């Protein structure tokens, strides 16, 4: 996978400035996982002295979407990608640095392979878990991605 954290963070600055301004940053990406970090600050707070849920969602979605993008680029095919559905669970106030990790690269790899082989759209559910600096889970996001070879 030739996508790097630096390239993804530059993409955020240029194409998703709200995520960049809120402090969302890619820390690591490889063929199986992506790690994104965001720190609770004034710009991303809610009225309850914790991180706004939508900022957590941006970071979580980026962990999954970066993996999808990486496999699409590696395929050298024109493939569309879209979030069809998502859900989230919040288990603790998000304060301090929150790190989101998605380890579902193998799932999207299979979906990309199947859409290339069959020409039919594929869906894949990917999970991103956010933890605080103590390693305590604060939220979990699930995203249903659809991929399809463009005709």
């Amino acid at each position: 996978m030739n996508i790097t954290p630096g390239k993804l963070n530059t993409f955020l600055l240029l194409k998703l400035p709200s995520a960049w301004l809120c402090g969302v940053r890619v820390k690591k990406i490889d063929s199986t996982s992506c790690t994104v970090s965001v720190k609770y600050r004034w710009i991303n707070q809610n009225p309850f002295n914790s991180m706004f849920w939508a900022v957590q969602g941006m970071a979580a979605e980026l962990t999954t979407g970066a993996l999808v993008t990486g496999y699409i680029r590696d395929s050298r095919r024109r493939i569309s990608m879209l979030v069809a559905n998502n859900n989230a669970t919040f288990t603790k106030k998000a304060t301090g640095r929150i790190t989101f990790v998605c380890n579902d690269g193998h799932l999207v790899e299979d979906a990309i392979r199947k859409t290339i082989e069959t020409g039919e759209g594929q869906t894949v559910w990917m999970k991103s878990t956010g933890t605080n600096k103590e390693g305590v889970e604060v939220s979990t996001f699930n995203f249903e991605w659809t991929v399809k070879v463009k005709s």
Side-chain angles (χ1 to χ4, degrees), residues 53-94:
W53 72 267
V55 175
Q56 294 179 63
M58 287 190 290
E61 182 183 3
L62 182 56
T63 65
T64 62
L67 289 168
V68 175
T69 300
Y71 276 105
I72 289 173
R73 292 184 85 190
D74 287 352
S75 77
R76 301 190 191 284
R77 301 290 297 270
R78 292 183 57 228
I79 298 174
S80 63
M81 59 186 273
L82 181 68
V83 172
N85 201 350
N86 78 301
N87 62 61
T89 303
F90 302 91
T91 51
K92 185 170 176 58
K93 273 186 157 188

Side-chain angles (χ1 to χ4, degrees), residues 26 28-29 33-37 57-68 99-104 126-129 141 143 145:
V26 178
K28 176 183 162 283
I29 186 167
S33 69
C34 182
T35 302
V36 172
S37 176
M58 287 190 290
E61 182 183 3
L62 182 56
T63 65
T64 62
L67 289 168
V68 175
T99 302
F100 287 89
V101 178
C102 176
N103 293 311
D104 292 338
M126 300 175 75
K127 180 170 103 171
S128 182
T129 303
F141 285 78
F143 296 93
W145 285 95

Side-chain angles (χ1 to χ4, degrees), residues 29-43:
I29 186 167
D30 59 35
S31 62
T32 59
S33 69
C34 182
T35 302
V36 172
S37 176
V38 60
K39 186 176 181 183
Y40 168 63
R41 301 182 307 168
W42 173 85
I43 192 88

Side-chain angles (χ1 to χ4, degrees), residues 95-145:
T95 58
R97 182 161 302 279
I98 307 301
T99 302
F100 287 89
V101 178
C102 176
N103 293 311
D104 292 338
H106 64 286
L107 299 176
V108 72
E109 181 180 28
D110 290 344
I112 298 292
R113 182 182 44 76
K114 286 179 187 173
T115 194
I116 290 170
E117 288 173 359
T118 67
E120 297 177 8
Q122 301 293 314
T123 63
V124 58
W125 278 96
M126 300 175 75
K127 180 170 103 171
S128 182
T129 303
T131 57
N132 62 19
K133 67 179 180 179
E134 291 83 26
V136 176
E137 184 178 305
V138 299
S139 60
T140 301
F141 285 78
N142 297 292
F143 296 93
E144 181 186 25
W145 285 95

